[in-house]
Amino acid sequence: MPIVSVTTSSASLAELTGRDRILQEAAELFLTKGYGDTSLRDIASAVGIQPASIYHHFSSKEVLFTEILRIGIEHTTEAFDRTNADLNADAPPGIALLAHVEAHLTALFDHGPYTAANIVVFPVAPDAVKAAVVPIRDAYEQRWDTLLRELATSGQLDPDLDVRMARRIVLGSINSTIEWFNPTDSQKDAQSVTDLAKVMTDLVWKGIGA
Amino acid sequence: MPIVSVTTSSASLAELTGRDRILQEAAELFLTKGYGDTSLRDIASAVGIQPASIYHHFSSKEVLFTEILRIGIEHTTEAFDRTNADLNADAPPGIALLAHVEAHLTALFDHGPYTAANIVVFPVAPDAVKAAVVPIRDAYEQRWDTLLRELATSGQLDPDLDVRMARRIVLGSINSTIEWFNPTDSQKDAQSVTDLAKVMTDLVWKGIGA
DNA sequence: GTCTATATCTTGATAGAC
DNA sequence: GTCTATCAAGATATAGAC
């Protein structure tokens, strides 16, 4: 159960309550223009309120940004845990990997700017924001380490790779799709996130060679 | 032959002439703190000059940033072409891929912030900067399309992937190493960029499965 | 090619009414 | 919970001396 309920994916933009609308619009702007080039005036204007009103919900711009990143990780972590719960205990490792890649990519493309901001904007975030977010990121990455360790101990992973490096490669590779994949306009090879998950799982599992 | 000679990798920081020192320090700051949160004051202070002096070399902050990104792509493109020239005409496709992955990664980690900024900061760059840089990015990507098309026509590429998608996956995957690989501190699996290139070529070619 | 000085604008944030 | 009004600091950029 999440500590804070997030209504971003269920409700349409106009229906969102004040705080959530600020988060949504801010996340979109941060993702598009970056943190430093997005002013509180920009955000307020997008929401349709005055800049000062933001401070009723968030004590500073950094706190607002931190909360956006936190929500994104929360979505992703919950998707991982849900997938684990759904997986049959003796599912073959290939299936488990595919399921988690799909869960990760779905979280990435379904919760719009919250999850994407963790990939695109986090690397250049202010130090205070990074420091606040790193622990929650770590908790998510450890879930992947556990998953990949199981693959390694059952001899399914390239023995030359250690688990941490494998995780970085896998997550880095699937995260990089954020730069070009758009689930709304259908593409030749991957029309849906499910298609994309299949393609990317094939990449990390078998490579792109024929 | 490059239009503008760039002395960034050959000369040490203190030896750089005015213009190049500004570029170097600015690139480092943009990469660390992002574009919007890096002021011309920050850059001037890092170089040891006054903010106004920057305008003798660059007409605006956006022009300075654009030039940084351009230099990064120039390095990478030249590395690609050099690799092509060095490759034996009848080298096996696996070798050609490995050589180009290594060339790309070497450019990425050897020219410090210039190339890295193209991955980390470009996605949130101002529209004017993006517009100026996109054409040169495209020219580089087309080189990869050509390379991968050759692999595809010789039946070495997964036939379910089209060339554009394969290129995005390959470049996205190897570029994502910028987030965690550090050539200066040796790591367990990849101590050098050459090691990293081997690991990443294996990923895109054969996957990480055992 | 770098400086001092400064113009002009925008920024994050606060105070206090409603 | 949103508003008006405003502050103090920092932003990009310019003018002109050396």
Side-chain angles (χ1 to χ4, degrees), chain A residues 44-112:
Chain A
S45 159
V47 176
I49 57 175
Q50 294 301 312
S53 306
I54 295 176
Y55 287 89
H56 177 74
H57 301 279
F58 305 96
S59 59
S60 75
K61 190 187 175 188
E62 288 195 350
V63 166
L64 166 60
F65 187 31
T66 303
E67 176 66 0
I68 286 167
L69 296 177
R70 211 216 85 244
I71 291 171
I73 304 169
E74 183 179 275
H75 281 305
T76 316
T77 304
E78 286 173 11
F80 189 102
D81 292 344
R82 236 180 294 120
T83 303
N84 253 356
D86 290 352
L87 272 175
N88 193 314
D90 48 322
I95 297 293
L97 185 66
L98 174 59
H100 278 106
V101 168
E102 182 170 345
H104 183 95
L105 287 173
T106 303
L108 189 51
F109 289 105
D110 269 14
H111 301 288

Side-chain angles (χ1 to χ4, degrees), chain B residues 33-206:
Chain B
K33 316 200 309 172
Y35 178 75
D37 274 326
T38 301
S39 68
L40 294 175
R41 282 174 162 80
D42 292 336
I43 297 165
S45 159
V47 176
I49 56 174
Q50 293 301 311
S53 306
I54 295 176
Y55 286 88
H56 178 73
H57 303 278
F58 305 96
S59 59
S60 74
K61 189 186 174 188
E62 288 195 349
V63 166
L64 167 59
F65 187 31
T66 303
E67 177 65 0
I68 287 168
L69 297 177
R70 210 216 87 245
I71 292 171
I73 304 168
E74 184 179 275
H75 280 305
T76 316
T77 304
E78 286 172 11
F80 189 102
D81 292 344
R82 237 181 292 122
T83 304
N84 253 357
D86 290 352
L87 271 176
N88 192 315
D90 47 322
I95 296 293
L97 184 67
L98 173 60
H100 279 105
V101 167
E102 182 170 346
H104 182 96
L105 287 173
T106 303
L108 189 52
F109 290 105
D110 268 13
H111 301 288
Y114 293 92
T115 43
N118 276 283
I119 298 162
V120 177
V121 202
F122 171 84
V124 289
D127 289 341
V129 175
K130 275 187 180 165
V133 172
V134 159
I136 2 181
R137 285 171 73 99
D138 286 349
Y140 179 66
E141 287 169 356
Q142 275 167 25
R143 284 166 161 80
W144 274 90
D145 286 349
T146 302
L147 173 68
L148 291 169
R149 202 176 304 116
E150 287 164 8
L151 265 63
T153 49
S154 65
Q156 310 262 1
L157 207 66
D158 181 342
D160 289 344
L161 283 180
D162 80 346
V163 164
R164 170 130 61 83
M165 182 138 178
R167 180 251 297 161
R168 284 168 166 167
I169 291 175
V170 170
L171 286 185
S173 297
I174 64 180
N175 280 342
S176 71
T177 58
I178 195 70
E179 297 296 341
W180 55 269
F181 181 75
N182 185 347
T184 57
D185 66 43
S186 62
Q187 306 191 11
K188 195 186 167 195
D189 307 275
Q191 301 190 340
S192 66
V193 174
T194 305
D195 289 341
L196 181 68
K198 181 79 177 54
V199 171
M200 294 308 294
T201 307
D202 277 357
L203 167 75
V204 301
W205 198 243
K206 303 182 308 191

Side-chain angles (χ1 to χ4, degrees), chain A residues 18-174:
Chain A
R19 183 189 142 100
D20 284 346
R21 276 216 62 193
I22 294 170
L23 285 165
Q24 178 76 23
E25 299 284 0
E28 248 150 49
L29 285 165
F30 287 152
L31 185 61
T32 309
K33 315 201 309 172
Y35 177 76
D37 275 327
T38 301
S39 68
L40 293 174
R41 283 172 166 80
D42 291 337
I43 298 165
S45 159
V47 176
I49 57 175
Q50 294 301 312
S53 306
I54 295 176
Y55 287 89
H56 177 74
H57 301 279
F58 305 96
S59 59
S60 75
K61 190 187 175 188
E62 288 195 350
V63 166
L64 166 60
F65 187 31
T66 303
E67 176 66 0
I68 286 167
L69 296 177
R70 211 216 85 244
I71 291 171
I73 304 169
E74 183 179 275
H75 281 305
T76 316
T77 304
E78 286 173 11
F80 189 102
D81 292 344
R82 236 180 294 120
T83 303
N84 253 356
D86 290 352
L87 272 175
N88 193 314
D90 48 322
I95 297 293
L97 185 66
L98 174 59
H100 278 106
V101 168
E102 182 170 345
H104 183 95
L105 287 173
T106 303
L108 189 51
F109 289 105
D110 269 14
H111 301 288
Y114 294 91
T115 43
N118 276 283
I119 298 161
V120 176
V121 201
F122 172 84
V124 288
D127 289 341
V129 175
K130 275 186 179 166
V133 172
V134 159
I136 5 181
R137 285 172 74 100
D138 286 348
Y140 179 65
E141 287 170 355
Q142 275 167 25
R143 285 166 161 81
W144 274 90
D145 285 349
T146 302
L147 173 69
L148 291 169
R149 203 176 302 118
E150 285 164 9
L151 263 64
T153 50
S154 65
Q156 311 262 358
L157 208 64
D158 181 342
D160 288 344
L161 283 180
D162 81 346
V163 164
R164 170 130 63 82
M165 181 138 178
R167 180 251 296 162
R168 283 168 167 166
I169 291 175
V170 170
L171 285 185
S173 297
I174 65 180

